Amino acid sequence: MIRVLVADDQAAVRAGLVLILGSAADITVVGEAADGEEAVALARRLAPDVVLMDIRMPRLDGISATRELVGTTDVLVLTTFDLDEYVFGALRAGAAGFLLKDVEAAALVAAVRTVASGEGIIAPKVTRRLITAFAGGGAAPAKPPALDELTPREREVFACLGEGLSNAQIAVRLDMAETTTKTHVSRILAKLDLRSRVQAAILARETNGR
């Protein structure tokens, strides 16, 4: 059972999200928060698998709340606005995914499952902007020294992350077990001091997987 905490300052929106998620047999909503501070407090107390996080909330915004929670739980940002400052802010904060509130119910449920399984997900509407920003932004940045700490196998997995491949797809391409893939991803995040596989994918694109 996937345990989810829903954080949104609009009661009607929260009710709708709870209704959608509650329709899935493998998902249970363990709590609701009306602002970022409450989201952080409840997440620390209830230990959900996924926090569905709005960005524009009182007291503490969703990006700041995400930054406080990453490392203890996965955060899936769900917002009405696809402004670059929100997209990049959420991903830099370590969000495992970014979706817009016009997402279909079935896609939202699937996204929660994806994030809970350790994968990342980004709304198709903003993916092109991310690719443009990180792959077409001029000369490639200098290679971070920490990349030299990756083993040859980890470098292969790192390059696959840059292509947006899932753990299952990486396992097939590199001919190894999916559980082994997850272990490599975890080690890559630790060595590069990254908060999420989405951040790893962005770095891989910036450095051409070097």
Side-chain angles (χ1 to χ4, degrees):
M1 186 66 71
I2 301 171
R3 293 160 47 82
V4 179
L5 172 66
V6 176
D8 196 292
D9 62 331
Q10 298 183 48
V13 173
R14 289 200 310 275
L17 294 173
V18 170
L19 182 63
I20 291 172
L21 297 176
S23 68
D26 59 339
I27 296 176
T28 181
V29 177
V30 297
E32 299 178 40
D35 59 63
E37 285 190 6
E38 187 178 13
V40 171
L42 284 177
R44 287 174 174 167
R45 177 162 61 87
L46 300 174
D49 300 302
V50 178
V51 176
L52 197 56
M53 185 83 74
D54 187 23
I55 285 185
R56 298 179 65 171
M57 294 188 292
R59 296 209 294 171
L60 187 68
D61 66 84
I63 292 177
S64 297
T66 296
R67 192 174 294 112
E68 291 197 30
L69 290 176
V70 167
T72 60
T73 186
D74 288 318
V75 177
L76 174 57
V77 169
L78 185 66
T79 180
T80 305
F81 308 95
D82 66 343
L83 301 176
D84 285 350
E85 62 182 291
Y86 290 162
V87 176
F88 298 127
L91 298 182
R92 290 192 183 102
F98 185 99
L99 293 179
L100 301 177
K101 286 183 179 177
D102 62 359
V103 64
E104 296 291 335
L108 175 60
V109 170
V112 168
R113 290 173 178 147
T114 296
V115 170
S117 72
E119 305 283 0
I121 188 166
I122 300 175
K125 288 183 179 179
V126 302
T127 299
R128 184 178 296 277
R129 295 216 306 274
L130 283 174
I131 293 174
T132 299
F134 291 103
K143 181 178 72 172
L147 285 179
D148 291 331
E149 298 179 14
L150 300 183
T151 66
R153 195 55 153 174
E154 288 168 352
R155 287 178 181 277
E156 292 178 325
V157 173
F158 181 62
C160 289
L161 288 175
E163 295 180 41
L165 301 184
S166 67
N167 286 342
Q169 291 170 324
I170 295 173
V172 171
R173 175 177 291 188
L174 301 182
D175 191 26
M176 59 185 179
E178 188 171 346
T179 53
T180 303
T181 301
K182 291 181 180 180
T183 298
H184 282 309
V185 172
S186 296
R187 288 175 178 170
I188 289 169
L189 297 183
K191 288 182 178 181
L192 301 183
D193 193 25
L194 299 174
R195 292 169 172 258
S196 72
R197 65 184 291 125
V198 175
Q199 288 184 337
I202 290 172
L203 179 60
R205 284 186 177 278
E206 286 183 314
T207 59
N208 295 318
R210 293 177 294 163

